[in-house]
Amino acid sequence: MAMVMASLAAASASQAPAHVTATSTVICAKPYDDMCVALAGALERIGRQVEILSPVGGRRSGQPGTTFSFVEEGRSTEHIAGHLAWVGADGVIGRGETLRCNVIDAPLNDTMLVGYADALVQHGKLPD
């Protein structure tokens, strides 16, 4: 599984950004934790400008851009499952599909989470 995730991350990193939009906000209960940083990086790799905020200081109403969060459905040292949720600048709410990453031979690490976050973004059908 680790090789699959690493390959996915490498393929994602090589994609050229389609366009740059207004700043996207990533809301994280613990800003700068491993999954939050991985998600912000995945959004940056597709050409978005990203700002990380906590739910308390979150985005002010009327700011341009999309607000994203990772909804964790389960996690252990060898497993993570969840989906992306977002609110577009136009107020439209969206949700990506649930993706799971299971590792048998090692605990989850930052490299695996980067690949997982890239997969969430690729399969999320995100708004512009």
Side-chain angles (χ1 to χ4, degrees):
M1 176 56 90
M3 285 192 346
V4 171
M5 296 305 289
S7 298
L8 182 57
S12 299
S14 66
Q15 293 178 350
H19 62 284
V20 176
T21 62
T23 299
S24 295
T25 302
V26 175
I27 301 290
C28 298
K30 295 179 184 175
Y32 304 102
D33 79 345
D34 53 2
M35 190 58 210
C36 187
V37 170
L39 176 56
L43 290 166
E44 287 173 343
R45 283 188 289 283
I46 63 165
R48 292 180 184 260
Q49 297 175 14
V50 177
E51 174 182 32
I52 299 174
L53 297 174
S54 70
V56 175
R59 177 162 241 163
R60 292 182 304 277
S61 178
Q63 281 184 298
T66 303
T67 301
F68 293 94
S69 61
F70 172 67
V71 180
E72 189 173 283
E73 298 173 21
R75 186 167 183 177
S76 70
T77 57
E78 305 89 18
H79 164 83
I80 189 167
H83 64 273
L84 291 183
W86 58 83
V87 178
D90 57 2
V92 175
I93 296 172
R95 179 193 191 282
E97 63 184 275
T98 295
L99 297 181
R100 293 171 176 76
C101 176
N102 296 302
V103 182
I104 297 171
D105 56 350
L108 285 170
N109 61 43
D110 291 344
T111 302
M112 292 174 196
L113 290 177
V114 166
Y116 177 70
D118 284 339
L120 286 167
V121 168
Q122 284 180 341
H123 296 286
K125 299 179 184 159
L126 308 181
D128 289 333

